[in-house]
Amino acid sequence: MSDHSDARSRFLRLHDALRTRICMLDYPPGTRLSEETLAAEFGTSRTPLRRVLARLEDEGLVISQHGVGTIVTDVDAEEMARTYDLRRELAGLVGRLSPVPVSDEIIKEAADFLDAGKILLKQPDTRALAELNMDYFHFGTSLTNNLALREMSERLYYRTARIWLTATPRLDLAEETAIFVSELRDSFQALVARDGQAAADVRRAHISLCIARLNRHMA
Amino acid sequence: MSDHSDARSRFLRLHDALRTRICMLDYPPGTRLSEETLAAEFGTSRTPLRRVLARLEDEGLVISQHGVGTIVTDVDAEEMARTYDLRRELAGLVGRLSPVPVSDEIIKEAADFLDAGKILLKQPDTRALAELNMDYFHFGTSLTNNLALREMSERLYYRTARIWLTATPRLDLAEETAIFVSELRDSFQALVARDGQAAADVRRAHISLCIARLNRHMA
DNA sequence: AGAATTCATGTTGTGCACAACCTTTACAGC
DNA sequence: GCTGTAAAGGTTGTGCACAACATGAATTCT
């Protein structure tokens, strides 16, 4: 009943696919996306695809220029730092604005994330880490019933997701994985204690630390 | 050099026009917007207009249904309350995240807003009040250099702007005007003291009070 | 009379052809 | 060799015709 609309579900599918490719650097900044090529790949015409690209442009992931092309945006270090500042604050708000009561289901999910992280420790992989991080982020926003807060957090997340991946080559993958797993562990313990605010604070603190690491390796 | 693109500037113009009409209740919730009629009014074809409507749908102001129409969304009291919660927090953040130094220019603007408010005191008018409030909101967001914070604040503002106007008939116009002018006064004094954080706190407090008034008159 | 059905009407979604535009390249003039 | 210019190729933006769909009214059958 929710996805009865064929057009809407296709739109969401294409949007998600392209957004993931951009955030995972399958399309690095500067890549020119051809409407016709993409339309052919997804088996549709340019018209529906243009709507997807328009939304990606609204979200700041691409920019279309008449006669030139649709180009994946570059990440401006200064603006990304500001965006991270806001993301940090929103992460803290998840614990205060309409937090969902911590259920056994939620604790189970957190445990699963921790297990997945531990596996990654033994076999480090940049992309797998990035994907797990993305899934875990969605789990984090699901801890509030404030829809607007979820929406804004996700919007900002996707805008900054690439910066970490671009910096990764200069960072230590094993170290980054270890740091992430320790966040999962802290978060899990907070949730076991049924303390949603503590879980949000864990997240907030780790975003702060991430900002610091990025600053250190940028300058 | 910024708006050299004809298509983009037209898009922004149409988007702003329709958004204003929706937020000012020229198009009350439930109104069906005809793509063809609007296209004719703005002297273009459906294609560029559809992009505008698509963005309005992303912003949650309308919803398009195949074969039915594009309908102005209704405001859900519960979700609006949550959105106001977030708006309040963001208003406070304006004073903390990359605040712009308070300049003479800014103080002058605040003084102008206060004057305009005083004029409105003698001749109360719902729409004029709403428009002044909208202008003043933009002034408020301009007090931070954090672009993401500005963007999210505006996005949420336009989503909640209608709730106040729909409640106005049940509120006291003269009282609402007086409250708004007192906010302008407090804000002006904070800025004269070159205290941007205080100005943000004034805003934050008034949003809290507005939430309380709306709750009182809803239930 | 009532109910199911068909049809007429109006709406959004899609595909296609063409216009507007930018970039690059080839070429002619100097 | 250099520069200015024009032409070619490729890209996004626009307009239009038609498909897909939902709704309500007219109609027909029971």
Side-chain angles (χ1 to χ4, degrees):
Chain A
M1 190 63 177
S2 61
D3 277 2
H4 59 56
S5 170
D6 191 19
R8 189 179 306 276
S9 75
R10 175 171 67 176
F11 169 78
L12 292 174
R13 198 161 36 88
L14 295 194
H15 173 68
D16 195 66
L18 289 184
R19 188 176 58 179
T20 299
R21 289 184 189 179
I22 292 172
C23 292
M24 289 295 170
L25 297 187
D26 294 327
Y27 297 145
T31 304
R32 212 180 52 194
L33 305 180
S34 165
E35 295 182 352
E36 203 153 354
T37 303
L38 287 175
E41 175 188 343
F42 290 109
T44 127
S45 82
R46 280 179 57 209
T47 308
L49 195 116
R50 277 177 60 76
R51 179 168 173 169
V52 174
L53 291 180
R55 176 150 173 182
L56 291 174
E57 186 170 12
D58 288 342
E59 295 170 334
L61 297 182
V62 304
I63 181 169
S64 291
Q65 286 174 299
H66 192 181
V68 179
T70 302
I71 290 140
V72 177
T73 55
D74 206 342
V75 287
D76 177 50
E78 187 68 17
E79 192 183 339
M80 284 306 110
R82 301 271 179 282
T83 307
Y84 259 112
D85 290 340
L86 182 53
R87 276 193 57 197
R88 181 193 47 193
E89 302 302 327
L90 293 185
L93 286 177
V94 167
R96 280 174 40 211
L97 300 184
S98 312
V100 306
V102 180
S103 65
D104 292 343
E105 172 88 20
I106 289 175
I107 295 176
K108 173 70 163 58
E109 276 190 80
D112 289 344
F113 276 113
L114 183 53
D115 289 342
K118 284 177 180 171
I119 291 175
L120 222 54
L121 270 180
K122 296 167 184 169
Q123 197 167 349
D125 177 52
T126 302
R127 190 185 183 99
L129 178 57
E131 285 175 353
L132 185 62
N133 186 52
M134 187 177 283
D135 290 341
Y136 177 66
F137 172 80
H138 283 117
F139 168 68
T141 61
S142 75
L143 296 181
T144 177
N145 281 319
N146 191 314
L147 282 176
L149 178 53
R150 279 193 209 181
E151 215 173 298
M152 296 301 135
S153 296
E154 291 189 4
R155 202 174 168 85
L156 294 177
Y157 173 79
Y158 285 111
R159 198 177 294 186
T160 59
R162 294 176 290 166
I163 194 78
W164 182 84
L165 265 178
T166 56
T168 287
R170 281 179 284 177
L171 298 177
D172 186 326
L173 176 58
E175 185 188 338
E176 287 293 320
T177 307
I179 292 173
F180 179 59
V181 171
S182 80
E183 175 180 353
L184 291 177
R185 202 185 315 268
D186 295 345
S187 176
F188 173 67
Q189 288 177 353
L191 290 173
V192 165
R194 311 272 169 176
D195 190 339
Q197 179 60 54
D201 287 339
V202 165
R203 180 148 207 80
R204 191 181 188 285
H206 275 270
I207 293 180
S208 286
L209 294 177
C210 185
I211 294 174
R213 285 203 306 285
L214 287 174
N215 279 338
R216 189 149 40 91
H217 285 261
M218 283 294 179
Chain B
M1 190 63 176
S2 61
D3 278 2
H4 58 54
S5 170
D6 192 19
R8 188 179 306 275
S9 75
R10 174 170 69 178
F11 168 78
L12 292 174
R13 198 160 37 91
L14 295 193
H15 174 68
D16 195 65
L18 290 183
R19 188 176 58 180
T20 299
R21 289 183 189 180
I22 293 172
C23 291
M24 288 296 170
L25 296 186
D26 296 326
Y27 297 145
T31 305
R32 211 181 53 193
L33 304 181
S34 165
E35 297 181 352
E36 203 154 354
T37 303
L38 287 175
E41 176 189 343
F42 290 109
T44 124
S45 83
R46 281 178 58 211
T47 309
L49 196 117
R50 277 177 60 75
R51 179 168 172 169
V52 174
L53 292 179
R55 176 149 172 183
L56 290 174
E57 187 170 12
D58 289 342
E59 295 171 334
L61 297 181
V62 304
I63 182 169
S64 291
Q65 286 175 297
H66 193 180
V68 180
T70 302
I71 290 140
V72 177
T73 55
D74 206 342
V75 287
D76 176 50
E78 188 67 18
E79 191 182 338
M80 284 305 111
R82 300 271 179 281
T83 307
Y84 259 112
D85 290 340
L86 181 52
R87 275 192 58 197
R88 181 194 51 203
E89 302 302 327
L90 293 186
L93 286 176
V94 167
R96 281 173 39 211
L97 301 185
S98 313
V100 307
V102 180
S103 65
D104 293 343
E105 173 88 19
I106 289 175
I107 294 176
K108 173 70 165 54
E109 276 190 81
D112 290 343
F113 276 112
L114 182 54
D115 289 341
K118 284 178 180 171
I119 290 175
L120 223 55
L121 270 179
K122 297 169 183 168
Q123 196 168 347
D125 177 52
T126 302
R127 192 186 181 95
L129 178 58
E131 286 177 351
L132 185 62
N133 186 53
M134 188 177 283
D135 289 341
Y136 176 66
F137 171 80
H138 283 116
F139 168 69
T141 61
S142 75
L143 295 181
T144 177
N145 280 319
N146 191 315
L147 282 176
L149 178 53
R150 280 194 207 180
E151 216 173 298
M152 297 301 135
S153 297
E154 291 189 4
R155 202 173 168 87
L156 294 176
Y157 173 79
Y158 285 111
R159 198 178 294 186
T160 59
R162 294 176 289 168
I163 193 78
W164 181 86
L165 265 177
T166 57
T168 288
R170 283 179 284 179
L171 297 176
D172 185 327
L173 176 58
E175 185 188 338
E176 287 293 320
T177 308
I179 291 173
F180 180 58
V181 172
S182 80
E183 176 180 350
L184 291 177
R185 203 185 314 269
D186 293 346
S187 176
F188 173 66
Q189 288 176 353
L191 290 173
V192 165
R194 312 271 168 175
D195 191 337
Q197 179 59 55
D201 287 338
V202 166
R203 180 147 207 83
R204 191 181 188 286
H206 274 270
I207 293 180
S208 286
L209 295 177
C210 184
I211 294 174
R213 285 203 308 284
L214 287 174
N215 279 339
R216 190 151 38 91
H217 286 259
M218 283 294 181

